[in-house]
Amino acid sequence: IRIPMRQGLRSLNMATAAGQNVLAARVKTAAKSVCANDFGDVASRSAEQACIDAAVAGAKLPAASNS
């Protein structure tokens, strides 16, 4: 699944932990939006969380620079 992000990333400094944390939070928010379901049973909540986890794990987040 590709989740387009409408928020700009230019303002984020990926060389810092703060910038990486903001990006990771944006990815998780987008994943929650895509994976959300309206069922309240345990199996549906588990499937929703698995979807979120897979989306976050599959995101190609840039690594911090060590320079």
Side-chain angles (χ1 to χ4, degrees):
I1 293 176
R2 291 181 188 243
I3 303 170
M5 295 187 72
R6 295 179 190 243
Q7 294 180 323
L9 301 179
R10 291 183 183 167
S11 64
L12 299 180
N13 182 350
M14 299 288 44
T16 67
Q20 292 173 11
N21 290 339
V22 169
L23 179 58
R26 289 180 184 177
V27 168
K28 188 167 187 175
T29 297
K32 285 180 179 181
S33 173
V34 171
C35 296
N37 67 55
D38 292 331
F39 306 110
D41 61 281
V42 174
S44 294
R45 286 189 304 234
S46 180
E48 182 178 327
Q49 188 59 53
C51 175
I52 293 167
D53 293 344
V56 171
K60 296 179 180 173
L61 302 176
S65 168
N66 289 330
S67 53

